[in-house]
Every structure is written in C-alpha cells, then in structure tokens.
Amino acid sequence: MAKHVCQIVLLFLFVMFLSVSTAEHLESSQVQILLKIKHLLNFPPVLKTWNHNTDFCNTEPLTVVCFEQSITQLHIVGDNGASRLPDNFSIDSFVNTLSKLPSLKVLTLVSLGLWGPLPSKFTSLSSLEIVNLTSNFFEGNIPPIISSLEHLQTLILENNNFTGILPDGIGSLSALAVLNVKNNSLYGNLPRSLGDLENLRVLVLSNNNFSGEVPDFSGLTNLQVLDLENNVLESRFPVVGDKIERVVLRNNKFTFGIPEKVQSYYQLKLLDISSNRFVGPFPVSLLSLPSIIYLDIAGNKLTGMLSENAPCNDELYFVNFTANLLTGKLPSCLMSDSKKRVVLYAGNCLETGDENQQPISFCKNAALAVGILPRSYKQKQASKVILALSICGGVIGGIVLLSVTFLVVKNFLAKRAAQKPLTRYTAENASTSYTSKILKDARYITQAMKLGALGLPAYRTFSLEELEEATNNFDTSTFMGEGSHGQMYRGRLRDGSYVAIRCLKLKRNHSTQYFMPHIELTSKLRHHHLVSALGHCFEYYLDDSSVSRLFLVFEYVPNGTLRSWISERRVRRKLTWAQRIAAATGVAKGIQFLHTGIVPGLFANNIKITDVLVDQNLVAKISSYKLLLLSDNMGKLLDANEASDVKHIHLINRAKHQDKLDIYDFGVILLEVISGKPVNSRSEVEAVKYKLQASITADDASRKNLVDPAVKNSCSGESVKTMIEICCRCLLEDPAERPSIEDVLWNLQFAAQVQDSWRGDSQSSETSPISPMKSSHLKLTIRQ
Ligand SMILES: *[C@@H]1O[C@H](CO)[C@@H](O)[C@H](O)[C@H]1NC(C)=O
Ligand SMILES: *[C@@H]1O[C@H](CO)[C@@H](O)[C@H](O)[C@H]1NC(C)=O
Ligand SMILES: *[C@@H]1O[C@H](CO)[C@@H](O)[C@H](O)[C@H]1NC(C)=O
Ligand SMILES: *[C@@H]1O[C@H](CO)[C@@H](O)[C@H](O)[C@H]1NC(C)=O
Ligand SMILES: *[C@@H]1O[C@H](CO)[C@@H](O)[C@H](O)[C@H]1NC(C)=O
Ligand SMILES: *[C@@H]1O[C@H](CO)[C@@H](O)[C@H](O)[C@H]1NC(C)=O
C-alpha cells in the first residue's frame, strides 16, 4: 500500500516537472538563433541532434540552459583537437548572432575551431558572468572594452593565440574571480590593476611571454591559485594573501629571495618555483607547512644548511631540491620509508655521500657570486657577504680597472700604443703560487677597509634590476666610454649616489666560481686613494647559467683626471703647489696600499696620470690598478678553455724589485706634476728628467724655472728641491736604486711640511692633508 502511494507521488512529481519544462519552451526566434549558430560553427558533431523540433532547454548533454523563456547559458564543447573552422567562417557574424541572446550569463565555447580576433561586439552580451573560450584559434588583442563586462566572474581564454598585452581594464572587473589566459602569445608587463582584483581566486597567466615585474599582489587576499609558469617575468616573489594554495612560478626569471611571508601560507599545497634565479636562504620551514604536498625549488641558487632533524609534513609527496646551493644533511623525515614520496636533490652540496653532490666550497663560492639579495635583507647581509668573502678560499688574482671617463680611456689606450710598453707580465714561477697561508693572512687586512671607514658603503652585490634602474636601462646618455673590455656607464642609485659601472661581456662557459677569486680581490681593494669597488653583479645565460655579463660597480669620481688639473690645455684651475704635493702623496699612498695593504700585493699597476682621478675635495684616487680580470692576459685566458683552472691566471711576476715598476711610473707622474707639461712618451720622460737632474746641483732660481710657471712663484725652494730629487730617484734606470714607496712618502710629506711653513705661500695650509709633523724628525728620516 505504502509502495503504491509512493509511486503515485512520484508520478505526480514527474508530471509537475514536465509541465514546468514545457513552460520553458523557447520562442521560435531563439530557436532560429541556435540553429544559425550550429550552421556558423559548420555543424559540429556535438550539435548534430539540434533541429527545429529539439527541446533545447532539455537536451542531454546539457548545452542550453533556459530561464523564463530566454537562454541564460550556452555550453558547446567540441571534440578535443578540433581544427580551425574553414575560411568562410566569420567571427563577426558569429558574435553578432550570439549577441541576440542578451540574457546569456554563461558562455562556454570550447574546441570549436573559432578563429579571428574577438570582436568588441562581444561585450554587448552585458550579462555575461562566465566566459570559457578554451582551445580555439582566437588571435589579436584581447579587446580592452572587455572591461565593460562588469558582471564577469570568470574569464578563460586558455589555449588560443591572443597576442598583445593584457588590457589594463581587466583590473576594473571587480567581480572577477577566475582569470585564465594560459598558453597564448600575450606579452608585456602585467597591468598594475590586476592587484586590485580583491575577489580573484584563480590567476593563471602561464605559457605566455609576459615580462617585467609582477605588480603588487598583496591585495589579492582571496587568491588560491597563482600560476605564472613559462613567462619571462623578472621579479621578486609575488606576495599574496594567505589563502593561497598553489603557487607556480616555474621557468621565469624571478630573482631575490623567498619572502618570509611564504612561511605563513598555511593552506599552501603546491609550490613550484623551479628554474628561476631565486637566491638567498631556503626557508626549511616550508617542508613542514601544514598543507604542503608538492615542493619544487629546483634550478635556483638557493642557499642554506639543511639539518637532519628538520620536520616535514607527512603528506609531502614530492620534493625537488635539484641544482641549488644547499648544504648540510637531508632531513631524515624526507628519507622515511614511505615508498610513494619522491625526493630529488642532485647538484647541491649536501652531505649525502653520493657523488652527485658538489663540494661544499662550490656552494659557498657560488652563493657569494649570486648577485642578488632581497632588498630588505640587503643591509643585514652585505656585511655577511664581506665576511664570507674574506673567509672563502680561492686564489687571488688581479684585475685592471680601466679609467673612468671616456677621455681617460682614450688617453690611456692611445698612450699605451704610443709608448714602448714595459714588460709587465711574465709567467709565474711555481714557487710563488698563492699558498693558503697567504690567503689566511689576507683576511686580517684592514678591518677599516671592509667596514666602510672610507665613507663608502660596504662592498655588496647589486641586482641587475638595480643597475638598469640606475642607468635608465643603460641609456646612451649614461654611457661614459668604452675600453677594450666593455663599456663604462654612469649610474645613479636609488639613494642618489652616483656610481661608475663597468660592463664586461664574457665568453660562455664560465660559472660564477671562475670569477670569484677576482671578485674577492676586487672587494678588498678599497682605499681612500683608490677608486674603490662598491660591488658587482652577474648576469647569467638562461640555458646553462654560465655568466654572460659581469658588472663591476665603482665609486664615481666626478672631478676629472689629475692631468686635467695640471697640464691639460683647457685646464680648469691649476692646482697650487701645495695641492700638487697633496695629490702626489695621495697617489703614493694608493700605491703603498696596492703593495702592502693586501696580501699578496698588487704590483706593476702601470699607473698613468690620466688614471688618477680627482674627487670633489681634490683627493687623488687611482682608477687603474691591476685587475687581471680585465687585463689582456685574462682576456686570452678567457678564450682558452683551460682557464677554468684559476691558478693559470697568476701571471704576475713576483721577481725582485717588481714594486719598483710602480715607483718608476710614479716618477713619471711627478715629472708632470712638477713641470706642468704633459709627458707622454719615454723620450719626453728622459728629456724632462735630464733637466731636473741637472737642476739639483744648481740654485733655487734655476730649479724654479723648471716648475710649472703657474705655481713657481708660490712654492718654497726647499720643497721644490725635495720634489725634484725624489722624482729623479724614482726614475733611476736601475730598479734597485729607486726609492721604496715609504721613502717616497716621507719625502713628499717633508716637501708638504716645508711648503706649509713657508710664509711666501699665498695658499692656506688647509689645502695640504698632511698633518704637521716635527720637521726635525722628518729631516732625520729623509737625509739618511
Ligand atoms: C562554408 O563552406 C562550407 C563548404 O565548404 C559550407 O558547407 C558552409 O555552409 C559554409 N559556411 C558558411 C557559414 O557559409
Ligand atoms: C572551461 O572549459 C574547459 C574545457 O572544457 C574545462 O576543462 C574547464 O573546466 C572550463 N572551465 C570553466 C570554469 O567552466
Ligand atoms: C597551446 O595552444 C595552442 C593553440 O594556440 C595549441 O596548439 C597547443 O597545443 C597548446 N599547448 C598546450 C600545452 O596546451
Ligand atoms: C599566433 O599568432 C602569431 C602572430 O600573431 C603567429 O605568428 C603564430 O604562428 C600564431 N601561432 C599559432 C599557434 O597559431
Ligand atoms: C617573447 O618576447 C621576447 C621579447 O620580449 C621575444 O624576443 C620573443 O620572441 C618572444 N617569444 C615568444 C614565444 O613570443
Ligand atoms: C627536478 O629538477 C630537475 C632540475 O630542474 C629537473 O631536471 C628534473 O626533471 C626535476 N624532476 C622532476 C621529477 O620534476
């Protein structure tokens, strides 16, 4: 009985249902539209049942949904891999036809072979909430007017061939929850307005050609899926709200570190940041995020020490650490017996005992080499880098820092050509290889230098982004000159300070490690009288991450060369005698530092007056000390493959008296400082030197006649004599007879002292940086 009642009720319900459906029979005009659509789509198989008699609102599978006799949803999903509609297809007529269904809220047109640009007319379907045009052949731009579809919640344009930029107006679609433009040919910067889409839950921009920075996404508080895979985004890790479940940044050029915020993504299930340029510490706590099941950080330069007892989430089934700079031991929780878990870690420096790990030194060096630190970490870590630099092993080489102005470069090269070159480099003999003892000593040198006692910021790594910003993308207006090894640019950093940036284009096949000894040395060459290196930046080839360009960043010395203050024809204002002595003293102190301030010293620096720059306080700074990285020898070695063996680089002749080569060059500079005439060739040196030598035994007046007429009336006779004497001694043929740099300095200081106390000098004594000393002591020292 009860069963009967039940059946009757069911029957009743069925009849009711039928009557409701019949009430939704479409008007014939709408039926016409649907049949026209079938025609325009070239009769796709999926619509083969459609005809005049079809009850469209009740088809199976569901294609049309009706509400109160109008069509609100249209779902047409063609065969997978459907080909492009024939040439007589017109997207315009198709969209025109669609637009006669103004109540459409949901439109799915998948795999139908639609092609052509999406017509603006599309937006006349103003009720649209969900649009899914996956796997068609749309091309051209996404029409900016799409932003007028104010009810749009879901926009899926996946697997088409849209090009151009993502229109900014998309950011004004405030209801948008899903935006998917995966696998198109879109490019350019992502519109900033994307960050305003508060309701966005899914953002998939993968497989396009988007570039530049990811805008600030911190306002995307509801975002659950962020997929930026396979673009060319150069950006820091995009921070989003903490509802995020899936972050895929794979295959881009993301840099900087993983932000701390990631460690609070409690719903994060999948994190794939592989094949980017992330640097800095890998936060081990990611392994134990409560939801994490998939973690791929492969192919970055993440550092940090893993420890055996680090915890990990039980559900974590995939971990790829491959090709990073991790050290320490694999957490044992990853090695647990669970057969299902995949853990890959080759190409790190882990203590696993298998041979696909690098030695620890590799990771340490490479970690130093990666140029990029998260901005917020920079201050903190810069000093760590320095510390690490001084600890890190390796062999020290030298580098020639080319001069800082175009003029200087030109002069330098011209003169090198004009002058009979002195033999500067000979092959190193075995006994002079750089022992670990020397390297150990090297780290105790001049604490002050490391810690910015020069008023310089600590040596640090720069990001390419930062240098691009500083030079307005290496704009020609910032170009200062070009030497044989690359270009020099002037840049302005965010803090307003100017820097000189030398850009070295490098041959392939060199990892950062290859350059580390040189970088290490460069970072130590900081002194009041050297144009000091502020930092460096590596740029890598994308495919094999060998170094493509090396940028060396130096302090910018704005006031021209020493020559331009002494003997250039268009000289601005000539230095006074006291200022000349001070400048010469500065150069000598710079040389002294190169010889003794670092271990091993840098000798044979081939310093010219045009390599001495003058800053705003008239402090002389040597800009062209020997950085072997830039020298010709290095250039040759860079071509040869065996160059990866750093030991080959050390070609400095450490024979006896090598320091005296610099003394000779200093003598040449003094000649010019004294005479006020440019001295460019060996024969000019000989001629002026001869005159000076002859004057030593003559009287004050004839000596002063050899001094630059611009200053000869304001210099003390004794100081002139001292300067001439030391100059001539520096230029002695026999290197052994030339004075030591200390001797030179004492003489210069004596000359400054007597000049200072000479009342005839109209200049005030403050132009001399030398603090007063007891002249009796000085005399005693000098007239030995
Ligand atoms: C396109 O051409 C095919 C034949 O090649 C024809 O069957 C179809 O009706 C045409 N479609 C339109 C929209 O004219
Ligand atoms: C869009 O269409 C594709 C292909 O049929 C489907 O996989 C996807 O789930 C659709 N998305 C939405 C939101 O309808
Ligand atoms: C990307 O879209 C094109 C059509 O533009 C399609 O041929 C290709 O298979 C798609 N690739 C993927 C990986 O889906
Ligand atoms: C996409 O469009 C570009 C030009 O806009 C074209 O060169 C390319 O072949 C198209 N790709 C596909 C898969 O249709
Ligand atoms: C991506 O853009 C770069 C320049 O922005 C261009 O050189 C490259 O050909 C583009 N690649 C594709 C697949 O469109
Ligand atoms: C792990 O990462 C490496 C390096 O990127 C890659 O070659 C390898 O295919 C990855 N393994 C898996 C299973 O994804």
Side-chain angles (χ1 to χ4, degrees), residues 382 386 389 457-461 519 522-523 526 533-536 552:
I386 296 295
L389 272 172
Y459 188 92
R460 67 173 170 105
T461 54
I519 294 296
T522 309
S523 73
R526 307 187 110 209
L534 302 177
H536 70 274
L552 293 173

Side-chain angles (χ1 to χ4, degrees), residues 250 274-275 294 296 298-299 318 320 322-323 342 344:
R250 188 184 172 85
S274 58
S275 300
Y294 185 107
D296 190 347
F318 180 89
N320 197 347
T322 307
V342 176
L344 302 159

Side-chain angles (χ1 to χ4, degrees), residues 255-258 277-281 300-303 370-374:
T255 58
F256 301 98
I258 302 176
R277 301 169 175 185
F278 282 110
V279 299
N300 283 287
K301 297 201 181 298
L302 293 166
T303 53
V370 289
I372 305 144
L373 295 171

Side-chain angles (χ1 to χ4, degrees), residues 308-568:
E308 249 174 327
N309 47 16
C312 33
N313 183 18
D314 274 351
E315 308 296 317
L316 183 60
Y317 74 89
F318 180 89
V319 178
N320 197 347
F321 286 143
T322 307
N324 275 286
L325 304 172
L326 300 172
T327 55
K329 297 192 166 133
L330 269 186
S332 49
C333 58
L334 289 176
M335 310 315 293
S336 65
D337 40 351
S338 162
K339 296 259 159 47
K340 283 185 297 180
R341 185 178 279 159
V342 176
V343 179
L344 302 159
Y345 52 86
N348 283 282
C349 303
L350 294 164
E351 297 163 34
T352 53
D354 50 80
E355 75 268 16
N356 51 24
Q357 297 296 309
Q358 306 272 6
I360 291 210
S361 59
F362 172 88
C363 289
K364 291 220 164 117
N365 283 343
L368 289 172
V370 289
I372 305 144
L373 295 171
R375 200 158 281 157
S376 55
Y377 291 2
K378 230 173 241 168
Q379 280 319 88
K380 219 168 30 183
Q381 297 211 338
S383 56
K384 273 195 213 153
V385 168
I386 296 295
L387 186 72
L389 272 172
S390 55
I391 291 164
C392 117
V395 184
I396 294 180
I399 316 177
V400 175
L401 155 61
L402 291 184
S403 337
V404 173
T405 65
F406 186 47
L407 206 68
V408 176
V409 172
K410 239 174 47 192
N411 280 349
F412 177 75
L413 295 176
K415 253 190 302 152
R416 277 201 108 164
Q419 224 172 6
K420 195 176 99 197
L422 300 169
T423 311
R424 293 302 198 196
Y425 312 105
T426 53
E428 177 196 34
N429 47 46
S431 64
T432 62
S433 55
Y434 294 68
T435 63
S436 56
K437 163 85 173 70
I438 289 174
L439 286 162
K440 213 172 85 224
D441 291 347
R443 61 177 138 124
Y444 293 112
I445 303 155
T446 47
Q447 279 299 326
M449 160 184 85
K450 292 176 195 165
L451 301 173
L454 304 174
L456 290 175
Y459 188 92
R460 67 173 170 105
T461 54
F462 286 79
S463 70
L464 187 55
E465 177 196 47
E466 203 176 354
L467 299 185
E468 281 170 351
E469 187 184 319
T471 55
N472 196 7
N473 263 319
F474 297 99
D475 190 77
T476 45
S477 65
T478 63
F479 181 72
M480 292 164 68
E482 181 155 19
S484 45
H485 300 284
Q487 295 94 23
M488 186 70 104
Y489 294 87
R490 189 187 61 212
R492 189 165 188 206
L493 300 181
R494 270 210 188 148
D495 66 7
S497 62
Y498 285 96
V499 291
I501 302 168
R502 176 157 291 281
C503 162
L504 301 164
K505 214 163 168 49
L506 300 165
K507 298 256 154 58
R508 277 200 110 101
N509 295 330
H510 292 293
S511 67
T512 49
Q513 257 191 312
Y514 173 72
F515 297 102
M516 280 329 286
H518 307 287
I519 294 296
E520 187 187 1
L521 179 69
T522 309
S523 73
K524 288 182 178 145
L525 289 171
R526 307 187 110 209
H527 186 263
H528 193 52
H529 294 290
L530 296 186
V531 175
S532 303
L534 302 177
H536 70 274
C537 164
F538 286 116
E539 184 196 58
Y540 305 94
Y541 286 110
L542 256 189
D543 44 0
D544 60 2
S545 78
S546 62
V547 176
S548 57
R549 284 192 292 177
L550 167 57
F551 299 88
L552 293 173
V553 181
F554 295 98
E555 61 176 321
Y556 178 71
V557 180
N559 235 343
T561 67
L562 182 55
R563 170 169 281 176
S564 75
W565 286 88
I566 288 192
S567 61
E568 223 162 55

Side-chain angles (χ1 to χ4, degrees), residues 647-761:
K647 286 181 197 105
H648 284 274
I649 299 163
H650 303 289
L651 301 171
I652 303 164
N653 175 16
R654 308 204 70 224
K656 267 202 278 182
H657 308 311
Q658 54 168 342
D659 56 324
K660 300 299 175 68
L661 291 173
D662 286 332
I663 299 292
Y664 183 90
D665 290 339
F666 180 75
V668 176
I669 293 174
L670 268 192
L671 274 188
E672 190 160 334
V673 166
I674 295 170
S675 69
K677 295 189 201 76
V679 181
N680 285 321
S681 67
R682 193 88 189 224
S683 59
E684 281 176 304
V685 171
E686 289 306 313
V688 184
K689 174 181 130 187
Y690 181 79
K691 282 194 217 160
L692 289 184
Q693 209 139 32
S695 78
I696 292 176
T697 50
D699 57 5
D700 257 13
S702 43
R703 271 194 297 271
K704 281 200 184 174
N705 274 335
L706 297 173
V707 172
D708 187 350
V711 297
K712 75 174 187 186
N713 292 324
S714 55
C715 49
S716 99
E718 193 167 12
S719 98
V720 168
K721 185 162 188 240
T722 308
M723 291 286 277
I724 290 179
E725 273 175 352
I726 191 67
C727 175
C728 291
R729 284 173 61 208
C730 289
L731 295 173
L732 286 173
E733 282 309 315
D734 181 358
E737 289 182 22
R738 293 174 199 156
S740 69
I741 193 67
E742 287 73 23
D743 194 356
V744 168
L745 271 169
W746 280 115
N747 278 279
L748 292 174
Q749 288 174 353
F750 174 72
Q753 179 71 19
V754 290
Q755 174 66 22
D756 198 29
S757 51
W758 184 69
R759 291 294 110 206
D761 188 352

Side-chain angles (χ1 to χ4, degrees), residues 39-40 42-43 86 88:
H39 182 204
L40 290 172
N42 209 25
F43 312 102
N88 63 0

